Amino acid sequence: MPELPEVETTRRGIEPYVDGQTIDRAVVRHSGLRWPVPDDLDYCIAGSTVNKLYRRGKYLLFELEQGTVLIHLGMSGSLRVVSGSEPVGKHDHVDLVFTNGAIVRLNDPRRFGAVLWSSGPVAEHKLIAHLGPEPLTDDFNGDYLFQCSRKRTQAIKQFLMDSKVVVGVGNIYANEALFAAGIRPTKAAGKVTRKQYQALAVEVKQVLARAIEQGGTTLKDFVGGDGKPGYFKQELLVYGRGGQPCCRCGRALKEVKLGQRTTVFCSQCQK
């Protein structure tokens, strides 16, 4: 599933083609995504200029004069800039066609993504309003995590992946950050110390920043806005390496399920 670095990579790849540009029309081939694409999407956005393209959590937000287009990539979606001569594929469900000739195309084989329209303040939208802070901002820090975690009995990894606590820290990067901070993912969030949270906040920022620099992580489906895969997979220290030697101590990494998600850690290096 595309996580924050993949979505940010997509945003950066698309932005030069759409910033300040005018939408000619929306083409909806299949409206049955995670939530139905609005029937009047073309009417709402045709002729509008993109004032800003930004990311909130895992949502891409096209800010127009009169509202915002919200796009989520779901489990296997990708958003790419293509030309008018690009053949339409089986899973190419929605196009935003611009007057400059660029086409922003959503490809989503599993149809778990979304293309929605908000005419009101997007910060108040039901999918956005309750999101936690962005992990790469100053609002996200060890003291914040410590205060949020008091009396929490859920595993620290699940706590870190809760979008109401912090947005965009999905399974891959939670595994990596917890390993870097030396915290066992099964440990109760309320038992993690302030000092450990301070270290964890730093590692979350560093892991995400490195992944963005590498263009995200391609495990199977993800490609960026330019159609190229991400290369952070080559730097993964624990995710996907269950049973292999720990890069620090050499002990075999353990693999368990937490919340039905694969979790890999070192029983020696993570306490």
Side-chain angles (χ1 to χ4, degrees), residues 154-229:
Q154 69 183 143
I156 177 61
K157 178 167 174 273
Q158 292 172 291
F159 172 74
L160 192 60
M161 291 175 61
D162 184 346
S163 63
K164 293 181 181 179
V165 174
V166 57
V167 297
V169 186
N171 193 38
I172 296 171
Y173 304 107
N175 275 276
E176 295 297 308
L178 287 165
F179 175 74
I183 302 170
R184 189 169 297 200
T186 55
K187 189 172 185 176
K191 299 291 186 181
V192 177
T193 67
R194 186 187 296 270
K195 184 177 180 179
Q196 286 179 309
Y197 273 123
Q198 289 170 343
L200 180 58
V202 170
E203 295 299 344
V204 167
K205 291 175 185 286
Q206 292 183 349
V207 166
L208 292 176
R210 289 201 306 272
I212 291 170
E213 289 175 3
Q214 294 292 325
T217 302
T218 294
L219 298 177
K220 182 179 179 183
D221 303 300
F222 172 73
V223 292
D226 57 1
K228 297 179 180 179

Side-chain angles (χ1 to χ4, degrees), residues 35-58:
W35 299 285
V37 179
D39 294 335
D40 60 351
L41 180 65
D42 180 61
Y43 174 80
C44 291
I45 70 175
S48 298
T49 298
V50 177
N51 293 332
K52 182 180 179 182
L53 172 60
Y54 63 106
R55 178 191 53 74
R56 183 69 174 103
K58 298 179 185 179

